[in-house]
Amino acid sequence: MKRLNDPNFVRDPEFSIVLYPDHATSDADAEAAAVASSEELTGMSRRKTRELYWVDKRTLPWRLLPSLTKEECARAQNRPLWVCDRMAKELHTIPDAPDFTARERLALVSKVDALSQAIGACERIHQTVVPLNYARHALRSLTVWLLSLPFALVKDLGLMTGVILFVMSWMLFGVYEIGYSIEDPFQGTLRLSILCDAIRRDVLGDEIIRNTAFVLEDEGG
């Protein structure tokens, strides 16, 4: 998603969807995404104005959705789970055929269920945050400790106290910053492409390899 007022990207209204960022953990309003377009046009809303984003309908994954369902998906509080629900519904509506029976239907639904569980695991990571008071107290305690450290070292180290203090501050504040970053790994800490590949492997498993057992090759040909 790109910010609506980002001068580095030019938005084409015909091929774009205006969205709020997905804050399902802190926003229980079912119309949160639905009011985005009207707020953009009028600048007025029944709620506090929030930052708007936009996506190009012609890019992945939006271009995989039918045109009639893009707006519905955009309005969903949790878009990944909405896609899973829609896939399950589509599978239930497919009529039985010689090459598509209840067995294939259940197998595909189980894949959708596995994908939904993977999304749930990611949601638990995203929603489990460190309490703000704990983070502030840790930073304040570290700052006070580093400010008082020179008084304990100057007697033995002399002029080297400044160098030692700089190195200690760099290491400890670096550890604190790393901990702050991995608190929410989905905000740039992780390469999501690797995570998506892992989810795909968990959903599919060794399905492709196992399916080769049902293919008979003509050894004499």
Side-chain angles (χ1 to χ4, degrees):
M1 293 193 300
K2 303 177 180 63
R3 287 186 174 86
L4 190 63
N5 57 354
D6 192 342
N8 297 322
F9 300 96
V10 179
R11 182 177 73 91
D12 187 348
E14 182 180 357
F15 298 104
S16 61
I17 304 177
V18 181
L19 303 171
Y20 284 123
D22 189 359
H23 290 317
T25 60
S26 58
D27 196 336
D29 188 354
E31 300 180 3
V35 300
S37 58
S38 61
E39 180 178 324
E40 177 208 2
L41 295 176
T42 63
M44 301 176 62
S45 175
R46 57 184 172 79
R47 59 190 301 147
K48 182 180 178 181
T49 302
R50 293 178 295 173
E51 193 169 24
L52 297 176
Y53 294 79
W54 66 276
V55 294
D56 193 330
K57 299 178 183 179
R58 298 167 294 183
T59 59
L60 291 172
W62 294 96
R63 72 182 184 190
L64 299 178
L65 299 174
S67 58
L68 297 179
T69 61
K70 289 180 181 178
E71 298 293 339
E72 297 175 359
C73 180
R75 294 189 179 97
Q77 283 283 323
N78 192 314
R79 297 176 191 118
L81 289 181
W82 186 94
V83 172
C84 288
D85 293 339
R86 176 52 65 96
M87 287 193 296
K89 181 63 177 178
E90 293 289 346
L91 291 173
H92 283 295
T93 58
I94 299 176
D96 290 337
D99 55 350
F100 189 84
T101 62
R103 177 181 178 181
E104 286 76 18
R105 192 191 316 277
L106 290 176
L108 291 174
V109 170
S110 67
K111 302 301 181 184
V112 175
D113 181 66
L115 178 60
S116 178
Q117 293 179 9
I119 294 173
C122 294
E123 289 287 343
R124 286 192 293 273
I125 296 174
H126 178 64
Q127 296 177 15
T128 305
V129 297
V130 176
L132 182 60
N133 291 334
Y134 174 84
R136 288 178 175 175
H137 183 74
L139 179 60
R140 291 167 182 169
S141 300
L142 178 59
T143 303
V144 171
W145 185 82
L146 289 173
L147 288 176
S148 60
L149 183 61
F151 299 100
L153 299 179
V154 66
K155 181 179 179 180
D156 298 325
L157 300 179
L159 296 178
M160 290 296 297
T161 302
V163 178
I164 299 299
L165 181 62
F166 173 78
V167 174
M168 293 291 294
S169 300
W170 173 75
M171 289 192 300
L172 295 178
F173 280 119
V175 172
Y176 175 83
E177 185 64 25
I178 293 172
Y180 179 79
S181 298
I182 64 177
E183 177 184 339
D184 188 356
F186 302 105
Q187 300 298 323
T189 303
L190 291 179
R191 293 180 59 186
L192 294 184
S193 59
I194 298 177
L195 181 62
C196 293
D197 289 340
I199 294 175
R200 179 182 58 82
R201 289 194 298 269
D202 291 341
V203 172
L204 296 179
D206 59 343
E207 187 74 15
I208 297 177
I209 298 177
R210 288 193 295 110
N211 285 342
T212 59
F214 299 97
V215 179
L216 297 179
E217 299 180 356
D218 188 4
E219 297 182 356

